[in-house]
Amino acid sequence: MDDIVKQAMTKWPNVPDCYGWLGLDSRGHWHMRDDRVQGLGSFQSEVPGAKGSLLTHEKLVAFIHRNYAADEKGQWFFQNGPQRVYVELELTPYVWRLDDDYMPIAQTGEMTLVRACLMDEVGRVYLETDLGLGLVHSMDVGQVADALEQGRWKLVDCESKHLPNQYRFVISPQAMDKANKA
């Protein structure tokens, strides 16, 4: 976490958390979701426009990556100065790209080691790693097939609905917050 963020957290310890305003899609892209966009539906919905605006500012995206973490409940967030901005996930907290040696690299730029390779009921491929679970970017599924053929990994079947509980992550912290307040 950036030092400036740590300093802001110390200076302003009681800033309320933010829900629903930031999403991570299945290709590792960040989306900003204002009130109007949130009114269209959840980040996970198929409603056109419900994902929000794609963040393309390189320095902002790099700042998000450096300050991206999970809390004790498995809710992923971006620590924006003193404010914790919880992230709506399309599928998983990480999206993996593979390098030439089949090493997974997260959307955050972190490299990690594979523990297991999973495939769900619709053919999506995930890697369990030292950092946690993530979806393999669709452009790298061919590399996964090569790694499997070479015997680097064994494929394990899974059901996507069980992954959040099994790997301790929350798809929608906003929905969880609303349920806790009800």
PDB file of all heavy atoms in Angstrom, residues 19 73 75 170 172-181:
ATOM      1  N   TYR A  19     -19.441   1.673  -1.440  1.00  0.00           N
ATOM      2  CA  TYR A  19     -19.894   0.432  -2.072  1.00  0.00           C
ATOM      3  C   TYR A  19     -20.491   0.697  -3.443  1.00  0.00           C
ATOM      4  O   TYR A  19     -21.205   1.684  -3.630  1.00  0.00           O
ATOM      5  CB  TYR A  19     -20.953  -0.252  -1.207  1.00  0.00           C
ATOM      6  CG  TYR A  19     -20.417  -0.774   0.105  1.00  0.00           C
ATOM      7  CD1 TYR A  19     -20.444   0.028   1.242  1.00  0.00           C
ATOM      8  CD2 TYR A  19     -19.890  -2.048   0.200  1.00  0.00           C
ATOM      9  CE1 TYR A  19     -19.956  -0.438   2.448  1.00  0.00           C
ATOM     10  CE2 TYR A  19     -19.398  -2.522   1.397  1.00  0.00           C
ATOM     11  CZ  TYR A  19     -19.431  -1.712   2.513  1.00  0.00           C
ATOM     12  OH  TYR A  19     -18.933  -2.175   3.704  1.00  0.00           O
ATOM     13  N   LYS A  73     -13.384 -10.547   5.645  1.00  0.00           N
ATOM     14  CA  LYS A  73     -14.599 -11.212   5.164  1.00  0.00           C
ATOM     15  C   LYS A  73     -14.447 -11.709   3.723  1.00  0.00           C
ATOM     16  O   LYS A  73     -15.365 -12.321   3.188  1.00  0.00           O
ATOM     17  CB  LYS A  73     -15.787 -10.254   5.232  1.00  0.00           C
ATOM     18  CG  LYS A  73     -16.151  -9.824   6.628  1.00  0.00           C
ATOM     19  CD  LYS A  73     -17.270  -8.803   6.579  1.00  0.00           C
ATOM     20  CE  LYS A  73     -17.538  -8.234   7.960  1.00  0.00           C
ATOM     21  NZ  LYS A  73     -18.480  -7.112   7.888  1.00  0.00           N
ATOM     22  N   GLN A  75     -13.954  -9.552   1.184  1.00  0.00           N
ATOM     23  CA  GLN A  75     -14.415  -8.472   0.313  1.00  0.00           C
ATOM     24  C   GLN A  75     -13.183  -7.734  -0.206  1.00  0.00           C
ATOM     25  O   GLN A  75     -12.344  -7.283   0.578  1.00  0.00           O
ATOM     26  CB  GLN A  75     -15.295  -7.485   1.084  1.00  0.00           C
ATOM     27  CG  GLN A  75     -16.543  -8.122   1.651  1.00  0.00           C
ATOM     28  CD  GLN A  75     -17.316  -7.128   2.479  1.00  0.00           C
ATOM     29  OE1 GLN A  75     -18.362  -6.667   2.058  1.00  0.00           O
ATOM     30  NE2 GLN A  75     -16.808  -6.763   3.646  1.00  0.00           N
ATOM     31  N   VAL A 170     -15.905 -12.370  -1.886  1.00  0.00           N
ATOM     32  CA  VAL A 170     -17.276 -11.876  -2.015  1.00  0.00           C
ATOM     33  C   VAL A 170     -17.420 -11.218  -3.384  1.00  0.00           C
ATOM     34  O   VAL A 170     -16.668 -10.296  -3.714  1.00  0.00           O
ATOM     35  CB  VAL A 170     -17.598 -10.863  -0.898  1.00  0.00           C
ATOM     36  CG1 VAL A 170     -18.981 -10.260  -1.085  1.00  0.00           C
ATOM     37  CG2 VAL A 170     -17.482 -11.539   0.468  1.00  0.00           C
ATOM     38  N   SER A 172     -20.118  -9.485  -4.501  1.00  0.00           N
ATOM     39  CA  SER A 172     -20.732  -8.161  -4.384  1.00  0.00           C
ATOM     40  C   SER A 172     -20.743  -7.675  -2.939  1.00  0.00           C
ATOM     41  O   SER A 172     -21.687  -7.941  -2.188  1.00  0.00           O
ATOM     42  CB  SER A 172     -22.170  -8.177  -4.927  1.00  0.00           C
ATOM     43  OG  SER A 172     -22.747  -6.895  -4.761  1.00  0.00           O
ATOM     44  N   PRO A 173     -19.699  -6.936  -2.542  1.00  0.00           N
ATOM     45  CA  PRO A 173     -19.720  -6.343  -1.203  1.00  0.00           C
ATOM     46  C   PRO A 173     -20.920  -5.408  -1.008  1.00  0.00           C
ATOM     47  O   PRO A 173     -21.442  -5.306   0.099  1.00  0.00           O
ATOM     48  CB  PRO A 173     -18.403  -5.563  -1.142  1.00  0.00           C
ATOM     49  CG  PRO A 173     -17.512  -6.275  -2.094  1.00  0.00           C
ATOM     50  CD  PRO A 173     -18.418  -6.710  -3.225  1.00  0.00           C
ATOM     51  N   GLN A 174     -21.383  -4.758  -2.084  1.00  0.00           N
ATOM     52  CA  GLN A 174     -22.535  -3.871  -1.985  1.00  0.00           C
ATOM     53  C   GLN A 174     -23.774  -4.663  -1.558  1.00  0.00           C
ATOM     54  O   GLN A 174     -24.514  -4.238  -0.668  1.00  0.00           O
ATOM     55  CB  GLN A 174     -22.779  -3.164  -3.314  1.00  0.00           C
ATOM     56  CG  GLN A 174     -23.921  -2.170  -3.269  1.00  0.00           C
ATOM     57  CD  GLN A 174     -24.119  -1.456  -4.593  1.00  0.00           C
ATOM     58  OE1 GLN A 174     -23.952  -2.047  -5.651  1.00  0.00           O
ATOM     59  NE2 GLN A 174     -24.472  -0.189  -4.529  1.00  0.00           N
ATOM     60  N   ALA A 175     -24.015  -5.807  -2.184  1.00  0.00           N
ATOM     61  CA  ALA A 175     -25.166  -6.640  -1.819  1.00  0.00           C
ATOM     62  C   ALA A 175     -25.022  -7.148  -0.381  1.00  0.00           C
ATOM     63  O   ALA A 175     -26.006  -7.185   0.368  1.00  0.00           O
ATOM     64  CB  ALA A 175     -25.313  -7.806  -2.790  1.00  0.00           C
ATOM     65  N   MET A 176     -23.807  -7.510   0.005  1.00  0.00           N
ATOM     66  CA  MET A 176     -23.555  -7.978   1.371  1.00  0.00           C
ATOM     67  C   MET A 176     -23.829  -6.869   2.382  1.00  0.00           C
ATOM     68  O   MET A 176     -24.444  -7.110   3.419  1.00  0.00           O
ATOM     69  CB  MET A 176     -22.129  -8.481   1.499  1.00  0.00           C
ATOM     70  CG  MET A 176     -21.785  -9.109   2.808  1.00  0.00           C
ATOM     71  SD  MET A 176     -20.058  -9.641   2.766  1.00  0.00           S
ATOM     72  CE  MET A 176     -20.117 -10.942   3.963  1.00  0.00           C
ATOM     73  N   ASP A 177     -23.399  -5.640   2.071  1.00  0.00           N
ATOM     74  CA  ASP A 177     -23.643  -4.502   2.944  1.00  0.00           C
ATOM     75  C   ASP A 177     -25.128  -4.230   3.102  1.00  0.00           C
ATOM     76  O   ASP A 177     -25.618  -4.008   4.214  1.00  0.00           O
ATOM     77  CB  ASP A 177     -22.917  -3.256   2.396  1.00  0.00           C
ATOM     78  CG  ASP A 177     -23.094  -2.053   3.294  1.00  0.00           C
ATOM     79  OD1 ASP A 177     -22.688  -2.117   4.466  1.00  0.00           O
ATOM     80  OD2 ASP A 177     -23.649  -1.033   2.811  1.00  0.00           O
ATOM     81  N   LYS A 178     -25.860  -4.265   1.985  1.00  0.00           N
ATOM     82  CA  LYS A 178     -27.311  -4.044   2.032  1.00  0.00           C
ATOM     83  C   LYS A 178     -27.998  -5.130   2.856  1.00  0.00           C
ATOM     84  O   LYS A 178     -28.906  -4.839   3.636  1.00  0.00           O
ATOM     85  CB  LYS A 178     -27.898  -4.001   0.620  1.00  0.00           C
ATOM     86  CG  LYS A 178     -27.593  -2.722  -0.104  1.00  0.00           C
ATOM     87  CD  LYS A 178     -28.189  -2.712  -1.493  1.00  0.00           C
ATOM     88  CE  LYS A 178     -27.843  -1.433  -2.224  1.00  0.00           C
ATOM     89  NZ  LYS A 178     -28.372  -1.414  -3.595  1.00  0.00           N
ATOM     90  N   ALA A 179     -27.570  -6.372   2.696  1.00  0.00           N
ATOM     91  CA  ALA A 179     -28.171  -7.489   3.452  1.00  0.00           C
ATOM     92  C   ALA A 179     -27.887  -7.332   4.954  1.00  0.00           C
ATOM     93  O   ALA A 179     -28.761  -7.616   5.786  1.00  0.00           O
ATOM     94  CB  ALA A 179     -27.629  -8.815   2.956  1.00  0.00           C
ATOM     95  N   ASN A 180     -26.700  -6.867   5.294  1.00  0.00           N
ATOM     96  CA  ASN A 180     -26.341  -6.671   6.716  1.00  0.00           C
ATOM     97  C   ASN A 180     -27.125  -5.540   7.345  1.00  0.00           C
ATOM     98  O   ASN A 180     -27.360  -5.541   8.552  1.00  0.00           O
ATOM     99  CB  ASN A 180     -24.839  -6.417   6.850  1.00  0.00           C
ATOM    100  CG  ASN A 180     -24.017  -7.657   6.602  1.00  0.00           C
ATOM    101  OD1 ASN A 180     -24.512  -8.779   6.678  1.00  0.00           O
ATOM    102  ND2 ASN A 180     -22.753  -7.467   6.279  1.00  0.00           N
ATOM    103  N   LYS A 181     -27.519  -4.545   6.551  1.00  0.00           N
ATOM    104  CA  LYS A 181     -28.274  -3.398   7.074  1.00  0.00           C
ATOM    105  C   LYS A 181     -29.776  -3.686   7.155  1.00  0.00           C
ATOM    106  O   LYS A 181     -30.482  -2.968   7.833  1.00  0.00           O
ATOM    107  CB  LYS A 181     -28.034  -2.173   6.199  1.00  0.00           C
ATOM    108  CG  LYS A 181     -26.639  -1.614   6.358  1.00  0.00           C
ATOM    109  CD  LYS A 181     -26.426  -0.401   5.464  1.00  0.00           C
ATOM    110  CE  LYS A 181     -25.026   0.152   5.672  1.00  0.00           C
ATOM    111  NZ  LYS A 181     -24.733   1.268   4.757  1.00  0.00           N
TER     112      LYS A 181
END
